[in-house]
Amino acid sequence: ILRDIPVIVICVIVASLIECFLVLPGHLNQSLARGSREEGKIRQALDRGFNRFRDEVYQPIVHLVMRAPGLVLLTGLMLFVLSVGLITGGRVKFTFFPSIDGTTLWAAAQFTPGTQQADVDAFLASLETSLAATEAQFAAPVSRYAVRQHRQLSGPGIQRIQGDHVGTLKVTLMGNVDGPTNDAVIEAWRANIQLPAGIEKFSIRQATGGPPSKPIEVKLTGQSIARLKDASLLLQEQLKRYPGVSNVDDDLPFGAEQLVVTLTPEGRTLGLTSQSLARQIRSAFEGRVLQTFFDNGIEVEVSLALSTQERDRLSTLDQLPIITPQGGVVPLPVVADFTARRGLDELRRSDGDMSIVVSADLNNTVANAADILNSLRETTLPDLERSFDVTAVFQGRAKDQDETFADMRTGVVVAFVLIYIILAWVFASYTWPFAVLAAIPLGLTGAIAGHWVMGLDLTVLSLFGFFGLSGIVINDSIVLVSTYRRYIEEGQHHLDAIVNASRMRLRAVLVTSLTTIGGLTPILFETSPQAQFLIPMATTIVFGLAYG
């Protein structure tokens, strides 16, 4: 996403340079050859008004500033500190990438294994009924149509599962620009849904633009999968307490009921081990290959196992004979205990350790992901790591954010070095570039204040807009400093040179800035949900340039 923006900007600037140096001179030559024309009344009135403002309002302000430069400098520094305080104080929050509403919702339901498909289908039908009741709460239709997906669990960020105990309702939305947001629709729909008994997991998700990762993802690693699962369940309960958090889940769901076999003291006394006991049970139920022979070139395996009827009866375990190392035979219940518990469908490893990832969606209009992650880092995760002997790290968009910031820090250094080299070459000085670069903090002040005024969170695109803002603010400074240096070379006193340069270049600076502000202002009032992620970048440039 970010790569396209500088490519377009560079192409536009290259095109403007070609127009300026190759096309514009010819136009000017033709215009001047026709001789001067009398300017219209509107143009004359505008020029008189601007000259009056420049000479009667702006020039006295410049004289006043020259009499108290220290006060002006401290005022600018104070406003810069206050703008940074808006971020550190939480008035302006940071969201790595805002969620962009999609046009599809997935309501996925997972019941306990063994649930009849008719029960799942009945719940999917009730979801459609509750969706119709939800639409009645809004002024315009919300959904276009809904499709039931039987025996499969699907949707963005959902582990695909098939079986009679799962089902999904896929809803295609109208996508009205003036309609309610997807988060508002989901919250209203949830309020009308009655979850039946036996349902294990239920989520309503949407396909959003931007990075595919979740705003909240915590990866837990450790040696024991049981302790990891317990830690995951506790973390999920903590996450559900935060407002705006939904679809809390992990990537290791419980599977079917399992019987865990444990060797009894009698079994150990008879010389059995867990491995030998498991081997005999597996041979009885899964079969043991006794012989392999070829029949007309086809390999045929002969295996010995219990009959199908015996394998399907739980009572078979009470009668299964186990051979001891001494050659004796004892019933299985004598040497083993059985414990029923839910198993896990699969196991995951990371760097040799067992791992599990807890994730959640977030309504950005209700809560901020950075605040929730900081709260988890300070309160929940330290206790979780001590109690369950696990290690917790943030993944998802938090990890993407760290990687992006590392790249952007490098980008900032490279950008400012290149800007400094160009300015030092133009001004033939090592110190004058710093006078031009001093305008950049002023632009940052306006950018942060603009987000506060507009009620927006800072995003990665806001920071990216600051790169472009720096170049534009520097352009205005170059215009002013170049004129000042020319007046100094003509022999003017430095105070007079400052006032005259400010007065003479006021129109050029204003036109350069106002055209950019005017071009970006329509984006600030764009109501299309798909364009909302661009508004923070436009806010950075518009307010930063206006203040700078």
Side-chain angles (χ1 to χ4, degrees):
I1 295 175
L2 298 184
R3 186 181 295 110
D4 294 335
I5 299 174
V7 169
I8 293 175
V9 172
I10 291 172
C11 291
V12 170
I13 292 178
V14 170
S16 68
L17 288 175
I18 295 174
E19 196 276 340
C20 180
F21 288 109
L22 301 180
V23 181
L24 184 59
H27 290 170
L28 291 176
N29 181 49
Q30 295 176 10
S31 300
L32 294 174
R34 297 193 187 103
S36 60
R37 293 184 302 171
E38 184 178 353
E39 296 179 345
K41 294 182 179 180
I42 297 178
R43 175 61 183 270
Q44 293 177 8
L46 290 175
D47 286 343
R48 287 195 301 269
F50 179 81
N51 292 335
R52 189 180 305 112
F53 168 79
R54 181 190 63 189
D55 298 334
E56 298 178 8
V57 178
Y58 177 68
Q59 186 170 340
I61 293 177
V62 177
H63 282 289
L64 183 63
V65 167
M66 289 298 97
R67 286 198 289 268
L71 178 61
V72 175
L73 179 63
L74 290 176
T75 302
L77 182 61
M78 178 192 68
L79 292 176
F80 175 73
V81 172
L82 288 176
S83 66
V84 175
L86 291 175
I87 299 177
T88 57
R91 298 286 183 176
V92 177
K93 299 182 182 298
F94 181 82
T95 300
F96 176 62
F97 201 96
S99 297
I100 306 169
D101 283 351
T103 57
T104 307
L105 300 181
W106 283 267
Q110 179 179 350
F111 288 76
T112 55
T115 303
Q116 298 296 321
Q117 184 178 346
D119 297 333
V120 180
D121 294 343
F123 178 63
L124 295 182
S126 69
L127 287 179
E128 289 194 64
T129 304
S130 61
L131 178 62
T134 302
E135 288 194 85
Q137 302 177 14
F138 300 101
V142 174
S143 64
R144 192 183 306 273
Y145 57 85
V147 177
R148 300 183 198 175
Q149 298 177 342
H150 305 283
R151 302 189 73 254
Q152 60 176 317
L153 204 65
S154 61
I158 296 180
Q159 183 180 9
R160 292 186 177 274
I161 300 176
Q162 293 184 344
D164 293 339
H165 64 296
V166 297
T168 305
L169 183 68
K170 182 180 179 180
V171 180
T172 300
L173 303 177
M174 300 293 292
N176 294 326
V177 173
D178 299 328
T181 63
N182 287 3
D183 288 328
V185 174
I186 292 174
E187 288 187 10
W189 191 10
R190 284 183 183 277
N192 293 325
I193 296 175
Q194 295 291 332
L195 297 180
I199 192 168
E200 283 193 334
K201 293 181 180 180
F202 176 73
S203 63
I204 302 178
R205 303 173 188 263
Q206 62 168 320
T208 60
S213 52
K214 293 293 189 70
I216 299 177
E217 283 190 24
V218 183
K219 180 180 179 180
L220 304 176
T221 56
Q223 297 294 328
S224 171
I225 189 62
R227 296 179 69 85
L228 280 175
K229 188 63 178 180
D230 292 340
S232 169
L233 295 176
L234 180 59
L235 180 57
Q236 292 180 50
E237 290 298 324
Q238 295 294 327
L239 283 173
K240 292 176 182 178
R241 299 179 182 179
Y242 291 98
V245 175
S246 61
N247 299 329
V248 183
D249 199 2
D250 62 36
D251 61 348
L252 288 183
F254 282 115
E257 193 84 10
Q258 295 180 350
L259 285 178
V260 180
V261 183
T262 306
L263 195 64
T264 63
E266 290 84 350
R268 294 191 183 91
T269 303
L270 294 174
L272 291 171
T273 63
S274 299
Q275 290 80 4
S276 62
L277 180 64
R279 191 180 303 113
Q280 294 191 52
I281 297 176
R282 183 183 301 111
S283 298
F285 283 87
E286 294 186 2
R288 180 178 179 183
V289 178
L290 301 179
Q291 181 183 1
T292 301
F293 66 93
F294 287 89
D295 183 9
N296 295 326
I298 300 176
E299 186 180 68
V300 179
E301 290 184 348
V302 179
S303 61
L304 178 65
L306 295 174
S307 66
T308 303
Q309 291 182 345
E310 290 178 310
R311 281 182 290 177
D312 288 343
R313 287 201 303 263
L314 198 61
S315 59
T316 302
L317 294 174
D318 296 330
Q319 305 169 3
L320 185 66
I322 299 296
I323 302 175
T324 65
Q326 293 80 17
V329 178
V330 294
L332 178 60
V334 176
V335 295
D337 291 328
F338 299 94
T339 305
R341 72 181 185 192
R342 296 290 301 279
L344 298 174
D345 281 344
E346 58 184 284
L347 303 179
R348 301 183 187 275
R349 290 187 177 272
S350 176
D351 297 329
D353 292 329
M354 307 298 297
S355 66
I356 187 171
V357 177
V358 180
S359 61
D361 292 324
L362 184 66
N363 185 348
N364 290 322
T365 61
V366 177
N368 180 265
D371 292 343
I372 295 177
L373 293 179
N374 289 333
S375 176
L376 292 176
R377 184 184 292 110
E378 296 173 359
T379 58
T380 304
L381 294 184
D383 294 337
L384 203 69
E385 291 178 330
R386 287 193 300 268
S387 302
F388 295 94
D389 192 24
V390 298
T391 301
V393 295
F394 291 133
Q395 284 197 327
R397 292 193 181 180
K399 183 179 180 181
D400 296 339
Q401 175 179 319
D402 293 339
E403 294 176 353
T404 302
F405 281 177
D407 292 340
M408 292 187 75
R409 281 192 291 268
T410 304
V412 167
V413 174
V414 173
F416 282 107
V417 168
L418 291 176
I419 291 174
Y420 176 82
I421 292 174
I422 294 172
L423 293 176
W425 170 54
V426 172
F427 290 121
S429 170
Y430 292 111
T431 56
W432 272 109
F434 292 105
V436 176
L437 293 172
I440 293 179
L442 296 179
L444 181 60
T445 301
I448 298 174
H451 283 76
W452 178 58
V453 171
M454 297 289 292
L456 300 172
D457 290 347
L458 284 169
T459 67
V460 66
L461 286 171
S462 302
L463 303 182
F464 200 76
F466 180 65
F467 281 86
L469 171 66
S470 301
I472 301 172
V473 173
I474 285 176
N475 290 341
D476 293 341
S477 300
I478 292 175
V479 171
L480 185 63
V481 172
S482 298
T483 306
Y484 165 77
R485 282 166 55 99
R486 189 175 73 249
Y487 287 157
I488 288 293
E489 293 173 357
E490 293 174 358
Q492 293 189 21
H493 188 269
H494 73 277
L495 291 179
D496 295 333
I498 290 175
V499 174
N500 292 333
S502 302
R503 176 176 174 273
M504 294 304 298
R505 304 312 295 167
L506 176 63
R507 184 193 295 264
V509 171
L510 284 180
V511 169
T512 302
S513 301
L514 292 178
T515 51
T516 305
I517 293 173
L520 289 173
T521 297
I523 299 180
L524 299 181
F525 303 100
E526 177 61 53
T527 58
S528 172
Q530 287 76 18
Q532 296 304 302
F533 76 103
L534 281 176
I535 294 180
M537 185 173 67
T539 300
T540 296
I541 298 177
V542 169
F543 283 88
L545 183 57
Y547 180 77

